[in-house]
Amino acid sequence: MQAVFVGDVQGCGLELERLLRRVRAACAEGESRLYLVGDLVNRGPDSLEVLRAVRPLVDSDAARVVLGNHDLALVEAHLGLRAPGPRDTSRQVLEAPDADEWIHWLRGLPVAETGVLGGRAFAMVHAAVAPEWTLPELEERARAVEKRLRAEDPDRVRSFLAASPQDDEDRDVLARLLRCRGVTADGRWSAREPETPQDAWHARWAKRAHDYGVVYGHWAMQGLHLAPGLRGLDTGCVHHGRGHDGYLTAWLPDMSADDPFAIPDAGELVQVRAERAYYAELLEKIGEAVDSP
Ligand SMILES: [Mn+2]
């Protein structure tokens, strides 16, 4: 079965539809399964439509999705832990008549997906893994986080999400998986663009010669990242025009390769250019100055 990894959609429903049409044409010969790196919602115009398009695919096992920080922010807003800001177009999900059900579905999403591509294991996370984690260690930590997100009692979920990462290791793991970009030699991590003495998380991960590859998103300012063992697929569709063009990207690995994460990549990239400058339009609409990256 052909795996199709899709970068951050962020409410770009039109581009997702176009991308899936092109991917279907590319996979006409056989079965495929989509893997979405998370952040289905927010900033773009169609958060609810994207959820409605993706959920049936997940329910029928035609797609797998990991939770992104913008998806989690919806859960937090629903639980009263944060107030949506003017740039948060994903509010439309909270205002939908079936909002409770969407929140329940979102908090049931995994925070890490793992499997095998060709001759190599892989992990898909929204933002990052810790440089030292083996694949079983990642899986163990992810399952612990997911269990807490899926607690039946919303009060338990609320207190988990409100916990300080210093006091609750699972909360720290959740934040790292969904938001990390930089790491330091002493093991600390940050959500910001890395500056000396920090390195990109994947630079330190790559030094460890892991036996698995990582597919991730979350880093539009970095853009497409193709390196041995690593595929970063956030090509900033929703940030089109902020200093560069934005695309929605799909990676179709060569499923017959011993190492589909090798460079040069024998797989295929399918990209759809953003139809409009969604983020600039949004800022204009709410009366904020249009920023550059
Ligand atoms: Mn993100």
Side-chain angles (χ1 to χ4, degrees), residues 8 10 38-39 68-70 126-127 178 181 217-219 234:
D8 307 46
Q10 293 212 237
D39 278 357
N69 56 301
H70 285 285
H126 179 60
L178 270 57
R181 293 193 180 100
H218 185 63
W219 203 340
D234 186 358

Side-chain angles (χ1 to χ4, degrees), residues 120-221:
R120 192 163 183 179
F122 78 93
M124 175 175 74
V125 294
H126 179 60
V129 300
E132 69 276 14
W133 287 347
T134 62
L135 196 56
E137 205 175 342
L138 164 65
E139 287 173 322
E140 192 186 324
R141 288 169 182 272
R143 298 303 89 86
V145 167
E146 289 156 8
K147 199 176 161 193
R148 297 189 64 184
L149 282 172
R150 293 168 189 173
E152 245 176 77
D153 180 357
D155 285 338
R156 290 184 63 181
V157 183
R158 189 180 292 110
S159 61
F160 169 52
L161 292 174
S164 150
Q166 283 82 42
D167 302 335
D168 186 324
E169 203 184 345
D170 291 339
R171 186 67 186 84
D172 185 58
V173 168
L174 173 61
R176 182 196 281 257
L177 288 167
L178 270 57
R179 300 182 59 220
C180 170
R181 293 193 180 100
V183 292
T184 51
D186 63 5
R188 281 177 298 154
W189 70 269
S190 162
R192 296 196 185 141
E193 300 284 326
E195 285 175 19
T196 313
Q198 290 185 341
D199 294 309
W201 70 268
H202 50 70
R204 289 192 175 272
W205 179 90
K207 286 180 185 158
R208 301 253 176 174
H210 287 289
D211 58 0
Y212 63 100
V214 180
V215 185
Y216 71 100
H218 185 63
W219 203 340
M221 293 303 134

Side-chain angles (χ1 to χ4, degrees), residues 5 19 32 51 67 95 133 189 208 225 239 265:
F5 292 91
L19 185 77
S32 61
L51 291 180
L67 190 69
E95 290 157 6
W133 287 347
W189 70 269
R208 301 253 176 174
H225 180 215
H239 300 291
D265 190 336

